[in-house]
Amino acid sequence: MMISSWFRSLPKAGKKIADNGFTRRVMRHLPDRTRRISQIWVTFCFTLALVLFYALDGLQLVLGTLRETFTAAAQTGTAELDPKSLVIAGVVLLYIIYRKICSLA
């Protein structure tokens, strides 16, 4: 009973109190906690990915896959691709990877 009367005595949420912009200035200068947590999480995940990549010998796996791909392409006769097309495809792929990494920051 006492608690419900106390809640009824509180001012309504829609009521504005004139404070000459004090509340807005205080809220603007508060540290952005979500950004800091986000940066910590991204750093943790990136570090974990690098550790796993190294621990699971990721570079050798990537190089082996690329070697097998190019060997298979050469054996099936698709090695007659235009070198300019391969360069353009590689540049586009690198640009997409760069944009994705930048968007994580």
Side-chain angles (χ1 to χ4, degrees):
M1 299 280 191
M2 196 174 186
I3 293 175
S4 62
S5 66
W6 180 75
F7 277 116
R8 277 185 261 133
S9 69
L10 289 175
K12 299 292 181 205
K15 221 179 220 186
K16 299 276 183 181
I17 299 173
D19 62 357
N20 290 332
F22 175 76
T23 304
R24 182 177 42 81
R25 288 191 307 271
V26 168
M27 293 302 288
R28 191 175 20 181
H29 286 87
L30 288 176
D32 189 7
R33 184 171 183 241
T34 57
R35 180 180 166 107
R36 186 176 66 228
I37 290 173
S38 173
Q39 289 174 339
I40 291 170
W41 180 248
V42 166
T43 303
F44 170 75
C45 289
F46 186 73
T47 305
L48 180 64
L50 285 177
V51 167
L52 289 174
F53 188 78
Y54 178 76
L56 300 175
D57 209 16
L59 185 60
Q60 290 299 324
L61 292 173
V62 169
L63 292 176
T65 303
L66 288 174
R67 189 178 312 113
E68 288 175 17
T69 302
F70 287 124
T71 303
Q75 289 174 353
T76 59
T78 57
E80 299 171 8
L81 292 174
D82 182 24
K84 289 181 185 179
S85 300
L86 291 175
V87 169
I88 291 172
V91 169
V92 169
L93 183 62
L94 288 174
Y95 178 74
I96 290 171
I97 292 170
Y98 172 76
R99 291 289 301 217
K100 185 64 176 174
I101 290 172
C102 288
S103 70
L104 296 176

